[in-house]
Amino acid sequence: MKHAYLIAAHNNFAHLQRLIRLLDDKDTYFFVHIDKKSSVPDSLRKMKTTNPLTILNEYKVEWGDSSIVKMELALFQESLKVKEIEWFHLISGNDFPLKPAAEIRSFYDNATDVDCFMEHEPFPSSMGYRNELYHLYIRRRSDSNGFLMWFNDKLNALQSLIGVKRKPIDGLPYRYGSNWVDLRRRAVELLVDRRQRIMREIRFTLIPDEMYIQTFLQNDGLRVVNDNRRYIDWSEGKPSPKSLEEYDYKAVMSSGKLFARKFDTPQSEKLADLILSPRSPIL
């Protein structure tokens, strides 16, 4: 059974290449999107993998807006061209495998009664503003234009005051979960077939990558496991998860997950080496 890793990356390219080398084998294809705001390093373009490595550099990806969904759908669409691929794994360039590549593949190969490993739950009412209001300017506050963010805040407050509330997609309730997922071919085909509709419906929503897959794949008879098999630490309460370090080893390795994120350079390098070391401590 063939697998595809669809990797979204924008920096930390030495780690990205290490990630690809660790996962590379005869049954694996790689499709990597590098944010258009970044240059694709020559070392990545020249990288040799068992099967052809496909690099996309189409979209400027901004936190929280529809460009993320557009990029992910482009990866799904491109990878579907390889007819032999059955499993599609959407990961970030800051992920790291916690098991050998063959063991990870075997886990999915043996999941014959599953179509999707993905987190999903009813959309939290406390975050309804993400989909119910029109967001015209979307950036992290730390990266934003002060005036435009102020204007967006005022516009959202006005929409709330006058009772603006966008209707759910085709009457479907919004669903919520991580955008990092593992999907069988049938699920990916459904998403790509609905690409235009998805992009139309999520326009001006906030952080749509955390709801479009869960929302648009509901009611399709897919067999879903509510677990994306990734260890991610949100304990810092920031828009992004914490960078994992050496002292996180026990929590990471006892999690039972297949991947962890995020691994940054240089703070995560000792942890990565420890995971790969045959002399790692026994938990």
Side-chain angles (χ1 to χ4, degrees):
M1 190 177 294
K2 304 298 184 183
H3 294 249
Y5 285 100
L6 317 182
I7 307 176
H10 67 280
N11 62 8
N12 204 9
F13 295 122
H15 176 83
L16 170 63
Q17 290 175 243
R18 186 184 197 184
L19 170 65
I20 292 172
R21 285 195 295 271
L22 287 170
L23 295 172
D24 186 31
D25 64 26
K26 64 181 178 61
D27 293 317
T28 302
Y29 291 79
F30 296 96
F31 298 82
V32 181
H33 185 278
I34 304 298
D35 191 329
K36 198 170 184 177
K37 299 191 297 293
S38 303
S39 298
V40 181
D42 287 341
S43 58
L44 182 62
R45 291 191 185 279
K46 296 176 182 177
M47 190 173 184
K48 300 297 183 182
T49 51
T50 306
N51 293 304
L53 168 65
T54 301
I55 299 174
L56 306 180
N57 188 216
E58 295 182 56
Y59 301 111
K60 291 182 179 180
V61 179
E62 301 291 351
W63 174 87
D65 78 5
S66 60
S67 58
I68 300 177
V69 176
K70 189 179 292 186
M71 174 269 294
E72 291 178 359
L73 288 172
L75 284 170
F76 284 131
Q77 185 172 39
E78 187 67 24
S79 57
L80 277 176
K81 294 177 182 178
V82 181
K83 303 300 184 183
E84 297 81 11
I85 295 172
E86 178 63 19
W87 275 104
F88 300 76
H89 312 283
L90 183 60
I91 65 176
S92 83
N94 295 98
D95 279 32
F96 198 79
L98 303 182
K99 306 282 187 182
E103 191 172 334
I104 294 174
R105 281 195 298 99
S106 179
F107 172 84
Y108 294 103
D109 289 347
N110 291 325
T112 56
D113 58 344
V114 179
D115 295 304
C116 313
F117 287 93
M118 68 179 181
E119 295 178 349
H120 67 98
E121 62 179 283
F123 207 89
S125 59
S126 61
M127 296 193 300
Y129 65 93
R130 290 188 181 185
N131 303 322
E132 294 168 357
L133 304 181
Y134 292 85
H135 301 268
L136 302 186
Y137 178 74
I138 301 172
R139 295 290 187 279
R140 293 182 192 271
R141 290 192 177 272
S142 58
D143 300 331
S144 67
N145 176 297
F147 172 76
L148 291 177
M149 184 59 72
W150 172 86
F151 176 79
N152 191 70
D153 288 345
K154 294 299 182 183
L155 180 61
N156 288 349
L158 176 61
Q159 291 180 76
S160 297
L161 181 65
I162 63 177
V164 171
K165 189 173 183 179
R166 297 172 63 164
K167 294 181 179 179
I169 300 165
D170 289 348
L172 295 173
Y174 290 113
R175 303 288 296 177
Y176 173 75
S178 171
N179 63 316
W180 309 115
V181 297
D182 307 284
L183 305 176
R184 277 192 182 274
R185 189 173 193 91
R186 179 185 168 215
V188 174
E189 289 172 342
L190 287 169
L191 286 175
V192 170
D193 286 346
R194 297 165 182 172
R195 182 177 182 175
Q196 290 186 344
R197 184 169 135 231
I198 290 171
M199 294 309 303
R200 182 178 68 250
E201 296 285 359
I202 67 166
R203 193 179 183 201
F204 303 131
T205 60
L206 177 63
I207 318 182
D209 55 305
E210 292 184 353
M211 66 86 166
Y212 83 98
I213 295 176
Q214 290 79 2
T215 299
F216 277 92
L217 289 184
Q218 65 180 306
N219 299 337
D220 282 308
L222 297 170
R223 302 161 297 177
V224 180
V225 171
N226 192 2
D227 184 350
N228 67 357
R229 312 300 298 174
R230 287 146 175 87
Y231 179 90
I232 305 175
D233 187 339
W234 291 97
S235 62
E236 294 181 341
K238 296 179 180 179
S240 294
K242 65 167 284 190
S243 297
L244 299 172
E245 299 188 45
E246 185 177 8
Y247 64 82
D248 293 301
Y249 176 83
K250 184 174 181 179
V252 169
M253 297 306 292
S254 63
S255 67
K257 304 299 186 181
L258 299 177
F259 289 91
R261 70 179 300 265
K262 60 186 174 111
F263 279 64
D264 284 317
T265 304
Q267 56 266 51
S268 304
E269 289 181 340
K270 288 184 178 179
L271 174 59
D273 291 340
L274 192 58
I275 291 169
L276 296 177
S277 172
R279 296 179 299 280
S280 296
I282 298 174
L283 299 178

